[in-house]
């Protein structure tokens, strides 16, 4: 039996996954949590075989949660399960230690296959992810449309929060950094991406599928 911990702040998602796994003999939900801090506490206290982690939860940023989980439980494979656009997000999460990146609109069979695959110690890639990685390796990326790839993880986090309309005060609280640090990150982001202001940044994020 594969014991699964689910971290998602939407009860309807957790209930939906429970219904799916109830019909799958080798899968069971052993823990549920609603935010990153609860998730980290539960994997510290209880053993699980696979983790399913949502990106957009209250509190700590998902990339930070993933990196912390990889340090705490390096043997625990983490599947990112999200509505965020695959092209803009998947590679960044794979680089941060994710074993799979699955969109919530995918068929249940894909998620089940991913769970079984990562439980065997393998990474799971969808066809579109494999095609994208092949393109990057071959050097055929569309650089003008992928300026966000040059951002650090923290800068990427700040960019997304700005694009969603969050203020510097809110961003500083979410990421546990000072307003000055947020301002410095914003300036670095605009410079790296050759943008003028937050409006340009938001337009870029929407156009390139960083936010939806």
């Amino acid at each position: 039996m594969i014991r699964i911990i689910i971290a998602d702040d939407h009860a309807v998602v957790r209930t939906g996954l429970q219904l799916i796994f109830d019909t799958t003999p080798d899968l069971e939900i052993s823990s549920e949590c609603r935010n990153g801090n609860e998730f980290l506490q539960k994997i510290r206290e209880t053993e699980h075989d696979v983790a399913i982690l949502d990106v957009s939860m209250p509190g700590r940023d998902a990339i930070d949660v993933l990196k912390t989980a990889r340090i705490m439980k390096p043997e625990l494979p983490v599947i990112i399960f999200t509505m965020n656009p695959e092209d803009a997000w998947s590679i960044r999460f794979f680089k941060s230690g994710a074993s799979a990146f699955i969109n919530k609109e995918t068929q249940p069979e894909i998620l089940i296959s991913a769970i079984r695959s990562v439980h065997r110690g393998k990474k799971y890639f969808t066809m579109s992810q494999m095609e994208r990685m092949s393109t990057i390796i071959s050097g055929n990326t569309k650089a003008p449309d992928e300026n966000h790839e040059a951002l650090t993880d923290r800068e990427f986090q700040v960019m997304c929060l700005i694009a969603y309309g969050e203020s510097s005060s809110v961003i500083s609280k979410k990421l546990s950094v000072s307003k000055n640090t947020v301002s410095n990150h914003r300036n670095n982001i605009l410079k790296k991406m050759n943008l003028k202001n937050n409006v340009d940044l938001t337009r870029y994020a929407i156009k390139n599928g960083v936010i939806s």
Side-chain angles (χ1 to χ4, degrees):
M1 185 69 72
I2 301 175
R3 301 165 297 174
I4 304 166
I5 177 171
I6 298 174
D8 196 298
D9 59 321
H10 292 98
V12 66
V13 173
R14 300 194 303 271
T15 300
L17 291 177
Q18 180 69 69
L19 292 173
I20 292 171
F21 298 155
D22 280 347
T23 62
T24 312
D26 60 330
L27 306 181
E28 69 171 4
I29 297 176
S30 53
S31 295
E32 295 183 17
C33 36
R34 296 167 293 179
N35 58 60
N37 287 331
E38 285 185 17
F39 171 73
L40 293 174
Q41 180 179 347
K42 287 194 175 183
I43 66 170
R44 181 185 297 111
E45 297 173 349
T46 312
E47 292 299 318
H48 307 85
D49 299 312
V50 174
I52 297 178
L53 178 65
D54 182 29
V55 170
S56 303
M57 292 187 293
R60 292 182 63 174
D61 181 86
I63 291 178
D64 288 341
V65 173
L66 173 60
K67 288 182 175 180
T68 302
R70 298 300 297 146
I71 294 171
M72 291 172 53
K73 296 281 186 174
E75 74 285 358
L76 177 66
V78 179
I79 296 174
I80 300 299
F81 191 54
T82 179
M83 289 298 296
N84 291 83
E86 183 176 285
D87 285 351
W89 289 75
S90 60
I91 292 179
R92 191 168 293 272
F93 273 97
F94 278 122
K95 288 180 178 178
S96 296
S99 294
F101 185 100
I102 305 296
N103 191 283
K104 288 182 179 179
E105 294 184 346
T106 194
Q107 294 298 314
E109 292 79 10
I110 299 296
L111 177 60
I112 292 170
S113 294
I115 291 170
R116 290 170 175 162
S117 180
V118 302
H119 181 244
R120 294 193 299 269
K122 301 178 180 179
K123 286 188 179 291
Y124 182 91
F125 301 103
T126 64
M127 287 299 298
S128 61
Q129 288 164 4
M130 286 189 287
E131 289 173 1
R132 178 168 168 76
M133 289 182 179
S134 175
T135 301
I136 290 174
I137 291 172
S138 66
N140 294 324
T141 53
K142 298 179 181 179
D145 293 331
E146 297 179 350
N147 294 336
H148 61 274
E149 297 287 3
L151 302 178
T152 66
D153 286 340
R154 181 62 85 193
E155 289 167 350
F156 184 75
Q157 293 163 350
V158 172
M159 180 192 71
C160 294
L161 291 169
I162 291 174
Y164 278 120
E166 302 287 11
S167 66
S168 295
S169 298
V170 171
I171 295 173
S172 67
K173 290 179 181 178
K174 280 181 173 289
L175 301 182
S176 300
V177 297
S178 69
K179 290 183 183 179
N180 286 338
T181 299
V182 173
S183 179
N184 289 336
H185 283 314
R186 174 186 174 277
N187 291 337
N188 289 337
I189 292 165
L190 295 178
K191 183 177 180 180
K192 285 184 178 181
M193 299 178 63
N194 195 28
L195 301 173
K196 294 180 180 179
N197 50 45
N198 289 2
V199 174
D200 285 350
L201 188 153
T202 302
R203 286 173 179 164
Y204 173 95
I206 294 171
K207 176 184 176 183
N208 291 279
V210 177
I211 66 171
S212 56

